[in-house]
Amino acid sequence: MKRFLFGSLVLLFVLYAFLPATGSQVKKENSCMECHEIVTPGIVNDFKNSKHYLRASISCTDCHCKREGPDTFFHEGHRVNLVVTPRDCGRCHKKEEKEYELNMMSHAYGNLILNPIYLDLAKNVNLLSETGLTMEDSCLSCHGTKIEVKGKEKRETPLGQIEFPKIEGWPNTGVGRINPDGSQGSCSACHPRHSFSVSVARRPDSCSRCHKGPDVPAYKIYSVSKHGIIYASHGKKWNFEAKPWILGKDYNAPTCATCHISEVRTDTELIAERTHSVSTRLPRKLFGIPYATNHPKSPKTYEVRNRMGLPLLSELSGEPRSEYLIDEKEYKDREAKMRSICLSCHSSSFAEKHFLRLNESVRTSNEITRRATQLLLSSYKEGIAKMDDGLFNETIEKMWVETWLFYSNSIRLSSAMGGADYGVFDGGRWNLGLTLERMKEYRDLLFLLTQKKKTVK
Amino acid sequence: MKRFLFGSLVLLFVLYAFLPATGSQVKKENSCMECHEIVTPGIVNDFKNSKHYLRASISCTDCHCKREGPDTFFHEGHRVNLVVTPRDCGRCHKKEEKEYELNMMSHAYGNLILNPIYLDLAKNVNLLSETGLTMEDSCLSCHGTKIEVKGKEKRETPLGQIEFPKIEGWPNTGVGRINPDGSQGSCSACHPRHSFSVSVARRPDSCSRCHKGPDVPAYKIYSVSKHGIIYASHGKKWNFEAKPWILGKDYNAPTCATCHISEVRTDTELIAERTHSVSTRLPRKLFGIPYATNHPKSPKTYEVRNRMGLPLLSELSGEPRSEYLIDEKEYKDREAKMRSICLSCHSSSFAEKHFLRLNESVRTSNEITRRATQLLLSSYKEGIAKMDDGLFNETIEKMWVETWLFYSNSIRLSSAMGGADYGVFDGGRWNLGLTLERMKEYRDLLFLLTQKKKTVK
Amino acid sequence: MKRFLFGSLVLLFVLYAFLPATGSQVKKENSCMECHEIVTPGIVNDFKNSKHYLRASISCTDCHCKREGPDTFFHEGHRVNLVVTPRDCGRCHKKEEKEYELNMMSHAYGNLILNPIYLDLAKNVNLLSETGLTMEDSCLSCHGTKIEVKGKEKRETPLGQIEFPKIEGWPNTGVGRINPDGSQGSCSACHPRHSFSVSVARRPDSCSRCHKGPDVPAYKIYSVSKHGIIYASHGKKWNFEAKPWILGKDYNAPTCATCHISEVRTDTELIAERTHSVSTRLPRKLFGIPYATNHPKSPKTYEVRNRMGLPLLSELSGEPRSEYLIDEKEYKDREAKMRSICLSCHSSSFAEKHFLRLNESVRTSNEITRRATQLLLSSYKEGIAKMDDGLFNETIEKMWVETWLFYSNSIRLSSAMGGADYGVFDGGRWNLGLTLERMKEYRDLLFLLTQKKKTVK
């Protein structure tokens, strides 16, 4: 029987090579699509309009039925995986799979959950909700969940009761999702299924899902930048499907993808190679926890330790933990790479000053963060705040968090992308200064309250 | 003379039936349009591009001259109503009129103004501005004003002095506007006049007018959801005018209207019927004041009373006031209806977990609201805050308001629509936790200030 | 040699007049474009798609090589200015240049830097960063920098080392930029280079760069207004390039430009003339520092002084400093001009009430600002806050700033443009009331802290 099946498959494959793509496709997929056109018509429709289907003759089974793992189940005569992973995609997109593994984003789960400090912050954010459900709905929605198969369960469907694997952490499209096959991430984070469109991923809107909050207001900053304004004005005429994607022909101002991921090229010249490992163009980690530093060497930031033993890329004094960070040569190479993209449209004097201003924003925002940190540390010393129960559960600690997580990060991202007000009144320097001031007075107040309590009790 | 006029009208009507639509239209409307093309060209132009005009041969008089009421005035030989009401629209759109009457939105005026607690909040928001003008400009801008005719007045116009009715509360397009004919609401809230476009109403932007603030950040949440990202990327190619509006053909991801109002259908299957009574698909009232509960049975929420006699859907302890709320059967029916829409594009495991996460968000946000409420109540008991002058005029009360009105609601809406950060750092759990913490310390401070004042005085 | 060059140029000029535009263009620009197509392809591409190039046969040298100034340098045989100024643009666009000189925006640099109070605010916002770099990156990013040439420097380029002028304050596209030729502003603030598109400038997105923050949330307000919703829904079908730009034909709802700058006309009627001096349509300066007043007569607001000698348009009591402000006749003329634009699409009763509501918002927000100011002044008197070290460095002062800079301004802009929630919960009346309340309690706290410090020390 197995030989017969194998023989048939070989035959089908040979026949397939001689059949016109779309015609053959309809046949090949009938088994899945016959039902799914009824039960999940939206999925089927997206897929049928995708390049995968229309140009590459990819079938449902190519992505859903090619590996065996804990999430595999038998369904209408097929061995099916619900979860399609970067490794599944990598069967055709090897280069992208490999690059993405080096991308810090693919480690977003571990970088949160395995870093005791960040995990403590996550728990404090989620309050009484350390249950998986809340974590899945909040932090892990972007960072990615851990997908774990816990047995099977029967569910009512329009076609009667069907047995499915019971999957914890599902559904999720977080960039660092831990998959049942051990791979990390979810390609549909940026290429939403089942169209897996490059067009969506190249648009700034795609990034807004996780990069719009007060901690990383990149999308908001882009929107008010000249780049974003040109996109909003003329982007609807651009060709986001083109391959290659040619600057000056297909689009006229960069989107997030242009500078951070895409191949950048004109009609005649290659300016930057496409990479799914965004850090190869990033000299710095502007997103400081609590300080901005040179970019770390490894994407696994949870592995670092500063001299106090804390899993941070710098000392609490702001001194960078250099052994974990790229050196000056690599820093300059990466900045040069990014600068070469600026230079496609801007003069060298423009780019020169741009980076000088960004440097100054990094320096000054780090310095204010240092002052806020000093204030917190002295509050610990004076006994009006407590360090041993964590860094995130008292008001003065939360104020400290806002100085770096929200305001310093916003200031730096705003400098990096020309976002004006997000570095000033809208979560920027105004808010940073106000919060620092309030921390000082709050300390006085705490002192008073502490004294008073003693008297009263 | 009257007989002659009547005879002419009958004759015109008969002729009209035999004339090609657009040609006859120009004649019929000449009397209104001749002037209004000069004095309000924008209105006339919008109308001339509307389906009403182009396809249905509706005339100005069909909407503006068909009923007599306090807002009727005589103008250039016509009996005219300035205000066009849902009842006016209902002459052709009966089903929509009837459905909308059952929609909680059509009661938005009474639900604010006739609920003494909400009215007190509104007054405290508007400070010294309890005048009609400020209420019209703030809360009632969305909730709807009470339209009242107070005599006549002459106004200078480009065509000389003309007498108009003096109408209080006008202009307004609030969803619960109280109209002179006793009807409630304004169809142009979502179908802006004079194009009355279904295209505008089907787009999420239409809802942003009233559903973007910190209390109901639905539009912001949608924007960063996968649905919103696909809309932002590809929505410009969708057909928002199509009737029927077919999923997978005319559009590929839901807008607000899709899930909440529109007919949902594929080429072959009807998934949900269109309804202007959105609550038929809503199992819960996620927008909690202060607690989220099952959806109320009646759209008139101002009629409810809890055991303390307060016009709220729950006790201050969070216990729902079940007699006013839909029962578990109806709850399940409505959830199933909504879930069937999810299932058009998502697997049953996807939808299953989605609702589990939402349930958990409701549970935890209600629980934190309960703690905040307890803190406030104990402050009343301790005499450091006063309940008898209302619930909204002291700082600790305003902090309490923010815990539920802003943060708990944002968390729940974010869970319901996949909005990630609006449940975390951007008005979500972070802000809820911080505010709860601040309420505690503020209580200590109040205690201190109260003591001190006694000593000083 | 000079004679030969001059002769050649004359010859070229004569020849040019007889050559077909685009053909000749390619030749004429070869000298610049040959290199710049390689080194800055984005610029060249934008320019080649611009009306300047395609229809008006403008060349690089027409803008970059027509005047001598401190920023002139010799580059590949040309005398080149890096900075193109409104005066450069004015060689062809004289009317726009003259109008813009009267626009308050062209004085945005001086109005910030030469006003000691605003400069003090700017310094307090920017904290330890009074360096030029931070100012360039924050306030001056929108207000405009002072461009100053400080010698020359050599820079590495893809074509080898080249000498450029060293220009401080560059790059910048702020509306009030001080240029080396003494002119003020940057046309590319709204017409981004090198396409200089009228289409971008006519879209609301263009204004978002500087008018989206909490101090001037005009863009956010527009977005949720009916106007903005119609733009979001149907704007992609409008013709933003048309000249003339005809209401009802090219667009159906106003953008920012429509009401504030553009020619407003229908097919048959001119409603308002185009002006680059926006104040000719503005009766009021709604953006109050700290109070909203009638519009100032002069665009140079730094020249005013109130009775206390402060450079403000009103007394601290709110009383307007009438001698610097337009009189009631001018006020009415400007309001009538603006109202005539409303009347293109709205009835006179609509417009009438609109302005009444706006008036009420101005009155009430000014009144709350007055109360906040009284609170601050009495804190100075009581010695719990200090005036002589400036108005912006203590928490109670910063709270005061937020009452007018953020909340009162947001309320007024929201009334002016139909923005609902930005006048209520999203930086509006709710926030104003809460901050006023907090100022009161903060004063009590300050009093307590002051007392305590005395005892402790």
Side-chain angles (χ1 to χ4, degrees):
Chain A
M1 177 67 184
K2 266 188 188 169
R3 277 181 61 183
F4 174 68
L5 255 178
F6 184 70
S8 303
L9 277 170
V10 170
L11 186 65
L12 274 171
F13 188 74
V14 172
L15 282 174
Y16 171 71
F18 291 96
L19 279 170
T22 317
S24 73
Q25 200 60 36
V26 175
K27 280 206 173 52
K28 195 178 168 193
E29 288 305 304
N30 267 351
S31 58
C32 304
M33 291 204 187
E34 251 169 38
C35 294
H36 277 277
E37 259 174 343
I38 295 163
V39 292
T40 54
I43 292 179
V44 173
N45 177 75
D46 271 356
F47 179 61
K48 280 193 165 175
N49 284 310
S50 71
K51 279 189 193 170
H52 274 169
Y53 181 79
L54 292 173
R55 298 203 207 159
S57 295
I58 301 292
S59 74
C60 306
T61 53
D62 286 327
C63 304
H64 280 286
C65 308
K66 283 280 152 59
R67 64 169 172 80
E68 183 133 25
D71 59 324
T72 309
F73 68 111
F74 286 86
H75 177 66
E76 305 294 327
H78 286 276
R79 208 183 54 191
V80 171
N81 301 306
L82 220 73
V83 185
V84 176
T85 74
R87 200 168 294 161
D88 289 324
C89 300
R91 280 197 297 276
C92 295
H93 304 278
K94 199 72 202 162
K95 182 167 174 287
E96 289 73 18
E97 183 199 356
K98 287 299 151 203
E99 284 168 355
Y100 190 67
E101 278 174 11
L102 298 172
N103 191 338
M104 194 180 279
M105 293 168 111
S106 73
H107 296 274
Y109 177 87
N111 284 347
L112 173 61
I113 297 297
L114 303 179
N115 184 317
I117 288 191
Y118 302 174
L119 183 61
D120 189 33
L121 174 57
K123 283 183 178 170
N124 270 281
V125 169
N126 289 325
L127 300 159
L128 66 166
S129 322
E130 308 96 329
T131 70
L133 284 173
T134 298
M135 280 295 277
E136 287 174 15
D137 204 32
S138 60
C139 310
L140 300 185
S141 161
C142 286
H143 280 256
T145 53
K146 186 170 190 174
I147 302 282
E148 286 179 299
V149 183
K150 306 262 171 161
K152 313 242 166 184
E153 61 181 348
K154 291 189 174 164
R155 256 199 304 278
E156 293 305 325
T157 78
L159 303 173
Q161 213 182 49
I162 299 184
E163 194 179 61
F164 296 101
K166 200 176 162 183
I167 304 184
E168 266 186 26
W170 181 257
N172 178 269
T173 59
V175 292
R177 191 180 69 197
I178 306 295
N179 297 305
D181 62 2
S183 68
Q184 295 183 173
S186 160
C187 301
S188 69
C190 307
H191 303 273
R193 60 176 180 274
H194 278 81
S195 69
F196 307 103
S197 160
V198 72
S199 160
V200 174
R202 281 174 175 169
R203 289 171 194 271
D205 314 286
S206 186
C207 310
S208 74
R209 174 147 181 72
C210 300
H211 296 202
K212 200 184 181 184
D215 49 338
V216 268
Y219 177 81
K220 294 196 286 188
I221 289 165
Y222 175 81
S223 300
V224 301
S225 75
K226 274 282 193 298
H227 296 153
I229 288 165
I230 296 172
Y231 168 74
S233 299
H234 294 157
K236 57 193 74 53
K237 294 183 289 183
W238 298 351
N239 182 356
F240 281 93
E241 297 284 353
K243 210 177 162 183
W245 197 34
I246 296 176
L247 169 63
K249 191 185 142 205
D250 299 313
Y251 66 100
N252 289 88
T255 66
C256 312
T258 311
C259 297
H260 292 292
I261 295 189
S262 301
E263 181 184 81
V264 185
R265 67 176 314 142
T266 62
D267 253 335
T268 55
E269 202 194 353
L270 175 66
I271 295 157
E273 277 182 26
R274 189 160 64 95
T275 175
H276 276 69
S277 182
V278 300
S279 56
T280 58
R281 295 186 195 167
L282 291 178
R284 272 205 188 92
K285 193 163 173 296
L286 290 179
F287 183 68
I289 313 179
Y291 296 101
T293 60
N294 278 11
H295 212 278
K297 289 177 194 166
S298 159
K300 302 181 189 179
T301 57
Y302 62 88
E303 294 178 341
V304 307
R305 288 295 177 275
N306 71 10
R307 282 197 211 97
M308 280 177 77
L310 300 173
L312 301 175
L313 292 167
S314 49
E315 308 302 330
L316 288 181
S317 66
E319 191 199 330
R321 193 72 178 133
S322 301
E323 62 184 282
Y324 294 107
L325 307 173
I326 60 169
D327 60 22
E328 281 312 292
K329 196 200 157 304
E330 178 67 16
Y331 179 94
K332 287 205 169 131
D333 285 352
R334 291 188 186 185
E335 197 189 87
K337 213 175 285 179
M338 193 57 116
R339 186 188 298 247
S340 73
I341 298 171
C342 305
L343 291 174
S344 320
C345 297
H346 297 286
S347 68
S348 58
S349 60
F350 190 111
E352 177 85 6
K353 194 49 134 350
H354 171 78
F355 285 102
L356 275 179
R357 287 175 187 162
L358 174 55
N359 288 353
E360 180 71 359
S361 281
V362 172
R363 188 187 72 77
T364 55
S365 58
N366 269 349
E367 168 59 18
I368 302 290
T369 298
R370 200 189 57 77
R371 293 188 191 179
T373 308
Q374 284 312 115
L375 259 168
L376 180 66
L377 293 177
S378 69
S379 302
Y380 290 144
K381 251 182 223 159
E382 292 157 6
I384 52 181
K386 271 198 300 183
M387 196 179 190
D388 53 8
D389 62 349
L391 298 166
F392 307 110
N393 63 337
E394 295 166 68
T395 297
I396 197 166
E397 292 170 330
K398 288 176 195 272
M399 292 166 118
W400 170 70
V401 169
E402 292 195 343
T403 63
W404 46 268
L405 186 62
F406 295 171
Y407 310 133
S408 289
N409 282 329
S410 185
I411 289 167
R412 291 188 288 258
L413 288 171
S414 182
S415 283
M417 303 194 303
D421 216 27
Y422 293 101
V424 188
F425 287 123
D426 207 346
R429 293 173 179 89
W430 168 261
N431 310 75
L432 183 57
L434 177 56
T435 308
L436 187 69
E437 187 90 23
R438 283 195 163 151
M439 278 184 76
K440 287 179 200 161
E441 280 153 352
Y442 193 82
R443 215 184 65 177
D444 287 348
L445 172 64
L446 278 185
F447 189 74
L448 208 65
L449 289 176
T450 320
Q451 296 291 100
K452 197 73 198 176
K453 271 179 190 165
K454 277 177 197 158
T455 331
V456 173
K457 277 167 198 172
Chain B
M1 177 67 183
K2 265 188 188 169
R3 278 180 62 181
F4 174 68
L5 254 178
F6 184 70
S8 304
L9 277 169
V10 170
L11 185 66
L12 274 172
F13 187 75
V14 172
L15 282 174
Y16 171 71
F18 291 95
L19 279 171
T22 317
S24 73
Q25 199 60 34
V26 176
K27 280 205 173 54
K28 193 176 170 195
E29 287 306 304
N30 266 352
S31 59
C32 303
M33 290 203 187
E34 249 169 40
C35 294
H36 277 278
E37 259 174 342
I38 296 164
V39 293
T40 55
I43 293 179
V44 173
N45 177 76
D46 270 358
F47 180 61
K48 280 192 166 177
N49 285 309
S50 72
K51 278 189 195 169
H52 274 169
Y53 181 80
L54 292 173
R55 298 202 207 158
S57 295
I58 301 293
S59 74
C60 305
T61 52
D62 285 328
C63 305
H64 279 286
C65 307
K66 284 279 153 60
R67 64 169 172 81
E68 182 133 25
D71 59 326
T72 308
F73 68 111
F74 286 87
H75 176 66
E76 305 294 328
H78 286 277
R79 209 183 51 190
V80 171
N81 300 305
L82 220 73
V83 185
V84 175
T85 74
R87 200 167 295 161
D88 288 325
C89 300
R91 279 196 298 276
C92 295
H93 304 278
K94 198 73 203 160
K95 181 167 176 288
E96 289 73 18
E97 184 200 355
K98 287 298 152 206
E99 285 168 356
Y100 190 68
E101 279 174 12
L102 298 172
N103 191 337
M104 193 180 281
M105 292 167 112
S106 74
H107 297 272
Y109 177 87
N111 285 347
L112 174 61
I113 298 296
L114 303 180
N115 184 316
I117 287 190
Y118 302 174
L119 182 63
D120 189 33
L121 174 57
K123 282 183 177 169
N124 270 282
V125 169
N126 288 326
L127 300 160
L128 66 167
S129 322
E130 309 94 330
T131 70
L133 285 173
T134 297
M135 280 296 276
E136 286 174 16
D137 204 31
S138 61
C139 311
L140 300 185
S141 161
C142 286
H143 280 256
T145 53
K146 184 168 191 175
I147 302 282
E148 286 179 298
V149 183
K150 305 263 172 161
K152 313 242 167 185
E153 61 181 349
K154 291 188 174 167
R155 256 199 306 278
E156 292 306 325
T157 79
L159 303 173
Q161 214 182 46
I162 299 184
E163 195 178 61
F164 294 102
K166 200 177 163 183
I167 304 184
E168 265 185 29
W170 182 256
N172 178 271
T173 58
V175 292
R177 191 179 69 197
I178 306 294
N179 297 304
D181 62 2
S183 68
Q184 295 182 176
S186 158
C187 300
S188 69
C190 306
H191 302 274
R193 59 176 183 276
H194 277 81
S195 69
F196 306 104
S197 160
V198 73
S199 162
V200 174
R202 281 173 176 171
R203 288 170 195 272
D205 314 285
S206 186
C207 310
S208 73
R209 174 148 181 72
C210 300
H211 296 201
K212 200 183 181 184
D215 49 338
V216 267
Y219 177 81
K220 294 196 286 188
I221 289 166
Y222 175 81
S223 300
V224 301
S225 75
K226 274 282 192 297
H227 296 154
I229 288 164
I230 296 172
Y231 168 74
S233 300
H234 294 156
K236 57 193 75 50
K237 294 183 289 182
W238 297 352
N239 182 357
F240 282 93
E241 297 283 353
K243 210 176 164 187
W245 197 35
I246 296 176
L247 169 63
K249 190 184 143 206
D250 299 313
Y251 66 101
N252 289 89
T255 66
C256 312
T258 311
C259 299
H260 292 294
I261 295 189
S262 301
E263 181 184 80
V264 185
R265 68 176 313 140
T266 62
D267 252 336
T268 55
E269 202 194 352
L270 175 67
I271 294 157
E273 278 184 25
R274 189 160 64 94
T275 174
H276 276 69
S277 181
V278 300
S279 56
T280 59
R281 295 187 195 167
L282 291 178
R284 272 205 188 91
K285 193 163 173 294
L286 291 179
F287 183 69
I289 313 181
Y291 297 100
T293 60
N294 278 9
H295 213 278
K297 289 176 194 167
S298 159
K300 303 182 189 178
T301 57
Y302 62 90
E303 293 179 340
V304 307
R305 289 294 178 276
N306 71 10
R307 282 196 210 99
M308 279 178 76
L310 300 172
L312 301 174
L313 293 167
S314 48
E315 309 301 330
L316 287 181
S317 66
E319 191 199 330
R321 195 72 179 131
S322 301
E323 62 183 279
Y324 294 107
L325 307 173
I326 60 169
D327 60 22
E328 281 312 291
K329 196 199 158 305
E330 176 69 14
Y331 178 95
K332 286 204 171 131
D333 286 352
R334 292 188 185 185
E335 197 188 86
K337 213 175 285 180
M338 193 57 114
R339 187 188 297 246
S340 72
I341 298 171
C342 306
L343 292 174
S344 321
C345 297
H346 297 285
S347 67
S348 59
S349 61
F350 190 111
E352 178 85 6
K353 195 49 136 347
H354 172 78
F355 285 102
L356 275 179
R357 287 175 186 162
L358 174 55
N359 289 352
E360 181 69 358
S361 282
V362 171
R363 188 188 72 77
T364 55
S365 58
N366 269 349
E367 169 58 18
I368 303 290
T369 299
R370 200 190 57 77
R371 294 188 191 179
T373 308
Q374 285 311 115
L375 258 168
L376 181 65
L377 293 177
S378 68
S379 302
Y380 290 144
K381 252 182 223 159
E382 292 156 7
I384 53 181
K386 271 197 299 183
M387 195 179 191
D388 52 9
D389 61 349
L391 297 167
F392 307 110
N393 63 337
E394 295 166 69
T395 297
I396 198 167
E397 292 170 331
K398 288 176 195 273
M399 292 166 119
W400 170 70
V401 169
E402 291 194 346
T403 63
W404 46 268
L405 186 62
F406 294 171
Y407 310 134
S408 289
N409 282 329
S410 185
I411 290 167
R412 291 187 288 257
L413 288 172
S414 182
S415 283
M417 303 195 302
D421 217 27
Y422 294 101
V424 188
F425 288 124
D426 207 347
R429 293 173 179 89
W430 169 261
N431 309 76
L432 183 57
L434 178 56
T435 307
L436 187 68
E437 187 89 23
R438 283 197 163 149
M439 278 184 76
K440 287 178 201 161
E441 280 152 353
Y442 195 81
R443 214 183 65 176
D444 287 348
L445 173 64
L446 278 184
F447 188 74
L448 209 65
L449 288 176
T450 320
Q451 297 292 100
K452 197 72 199 177
K453 271 181 190 164
K454 278 177 196 157
T455 331
V456 172
K457 276 165 197 171
Chain C
M1 178 68 184
K2 265 188 188 169
R3 278 180 63 182
F4 175 67
L5 255 177
F6 183 70
S8 304
L9 277 170
V10 170
L11 186 64
L12 275 172
F13 187 75
V14 172
L15 282 174
Y16 171 70
F18 291 96
L19 281 171
T22 317
S24 73
Q25 200 61 33
V26 176
K27 280 204 174 51
K28 194 178 171 193
E29 288 305 305
N30 266 352
S31 58
C32 303
M33 291 203 187
E34 248 169 41
C35 294
H36 277 278
E37 259 173 345
I38 296 163
V39 293
T40 53
I43 292 179
V44 172
N45 178 76
D46 271 356
F47 180 60
K48 280 192 164 175
N49 285 309
S50 71
K51 279 189 193 170
H52 273 169
Y53 181 80
L54 292 172
R55 297 204 206 158
S57 295
I58 302 293
S59 73
C60 305
T61 54
D62 285 328
C63 304
H64 279 287
C65 307
K66 284 279 153 60
R67 65 169 172 80
E68 183 134 24
D71 59 324
T72 309
F73 70 111
F74 286 87
H75 176 66
E76 305 295 327
H78 286 277
R79 209 184 52 190
V80 171
N81 301 306
L82 220 73
V83 185
V84 175
T85 74
R87 199 167 295 161
D88 288 324
C89 300
R91 280 196 297 276
C92 295
H93 304 278
K94 198 72 201 163
K95 181 167 175 289
E96 289 74 17
E97 184 199 355
K98 287 298 153 205
E99 285 169 355
Y100 190 67
E101 279 175 12
L102 298 172
N103 190 338
M104 194 180 279
M105 293 168 111
S106 73
H107 296 273
Y109 177 87
N111 284 347
L112 173 61
I113 298 297
L114 302 180
N115 185 317
I117 288 189
Y118 301 175
L119 182 61
D120 189 33
L121 174 58
K123 283 183 177 170
N124 270 283
V125 168
N126 288 325
L127 299 161
L128 66 167
S129 321
E130 309 95 330
T131 70
L133 284 173
T134 297
M135 280 295 277
E136 286 174 15
D137 204 31
S138 60
C139 310
L140 300 185
S141 162
C142 286
H143 280 256
T145 54
K146 185 169 191 175
I147 302 282
E148 286 179 299
V149 183
K150 306 262 171 161
K152 315 242 164 182
E153 61 182 349
K154 290 187 174 168
R155 256 198 306 276
E156 292 305 324
T157 78
L159 303 173
Q161 213 182 50
I162 298 185
E163 194 178 64
F164 294 101
K166 199 177 163 182
I167 304 185
E168 267 186 26
W170 182 256
N172 177 271
T173 58
V175 292
R177 192 179 69 198
I178 307 295
N179 297 305
D181 62 2
S183 67
Q184 295 182 175
S186 160
C187 300
S188 68
C190 306
H191 302 274
R193 59 179 182 274
H194 278 79
S195 69
F196 306 105
S197 160
V198 72
S199 160
V200 174
R202 281 173 175 171
R203 287 169 195 273
D205 314 285
S206 186
C207 310
S208 73
R209 175 147 181 71
C210 300
H211 295 201
K212 200 183 181 185
D215 49 337
V216 267
Y219 177 80
K220 294 196 285 188
I221 289 166
Y222 175 81
S223 300
V224 301
S225 75
K226 274 282 192 299
H227 297 154
I229 288 164
I230 296 172
Y231 168 74
S233 299
H234 293 157
K236 57 192 76 51
K237 294 183 289 183
W238 298 351
N239 182 357
F240 282 93
E241 297 284 353
K243 210 177 162 184
W245 197 35
I246 296 176
L247 169 63
K249 190 184 144 205
D250 299 313
Y251 67 100
N252 289 88
T255 66
C256 312
T258 311
C259 298
H260 292 294
I261 295 189
S262 301
E263 181 184 81
V264 185
R265 68 176 313 140
T266 62
D267 253 336
T268 54
E269 204 194 352
L270 175 66
I271 295 157
E273 278 184 25
R274 189 160 64 95
T275 175
H276 276 69
S277 182
V278 300
S279 55
T280 58
R281 295 186 196 167
L282 291 178
R284 273 205 187 92
K285 193 164 173 296
L286 290 180
F287 183 68
I289 314 180
Y291 296 101
T293 60
N294 278 11
H295 212 278
K297 289 177 194 166
S298 159
K300 303 182 188 178
T301 56
Y302 62 88
E303 293 179 339
V304 308
R305 289 294 176 276
N306 70 10
R307 282 195 209 100
M308 278 178 78
L310 300 173
L312 300 174
L313 293 167
S314 48
E315 309 301 332
L316 288 181
S317 66
E319 191 199 331
R321 193 72 179 131
S322 301
E323 62 183 280
Y324 294 107
L325 307 173
I326 60 168
D327 60 22
E328 281 312 291
K329 195 198 158 305
E330 178 68 15
Y331 179 95
K332 286 203 171 133
D333 285 352
R334 292 188 185 185
E335 197 189 86
K337 213 175 285 180
M338 193 58 115
R339 187 188 296 247
S340 72
I341 299 171
C342 306
L343 292 174
S344 321
C345 298
H346 296 287
S347 68
S348 58
S349 60
F350 190 111
E352 177 86 6
K353 196 49 136 346
H354 172 78
F355 285 102
L356 276 179
R357 286 174 187 163
L358 174 56
N359 288 353
E360 180 71 359
S361 282
V362 171
R363 188 187 72 77
T364 54
S365 59
N366 269 349
E367 169 59 19
I368 302 290
T369 299
R370 199 189 59 75
R371 293 188 191 179
T373 308
Q374 285 311 115
L375 259 168
L376 181 65
L377 293 177
S378 69
S379 302
Y380 290 145
K381 252 183 222 157
E382 291 156 7
I384 53 181
K386 270 198 300 183
M387 195 180 192
D388 53 9
D389 62 348
L391 298 167
F392 307 110
N393 63 335
E394 296 165 67
T395 297
I396 197 167
E397 292 170 331
K398 287 176 196 273
M399 292 166 118
W400 170 69
V401 169
E402 292 194 344
T403 61
W404 46 268
L405 186 62
F406 294 171
Y407 310 133
S408 289
N409 282 329
S410 186
I411 290 167
R412 291 187 288 257
L413 289 172
S414 182
S415 284
M417 304 194 302
D421 216 27
Y422 294 102
V424 188
F425 288 123
D426 207 346
R429 293 174 179 88
W430 169 261
N431 310 74
L432 184 56
L434 177 55
T435 308
L436 187 68
E437 187 90 24
R438 282 196 163 151
M439 279 184 75
K440 286 179 201 161
E441 279 152 353
Y442 194 81
R443 214 184 65 177
D444 287 347
L445 173 63
L446 278 184
F447 189 72
L448 208 65
L449 289 175
T450 319
Q451 297 292 100
K452 197 74 198 175
K453 271 180 188 163
K454 277 176 195 157
T455 332
V456 173
K457 279 166 194 171

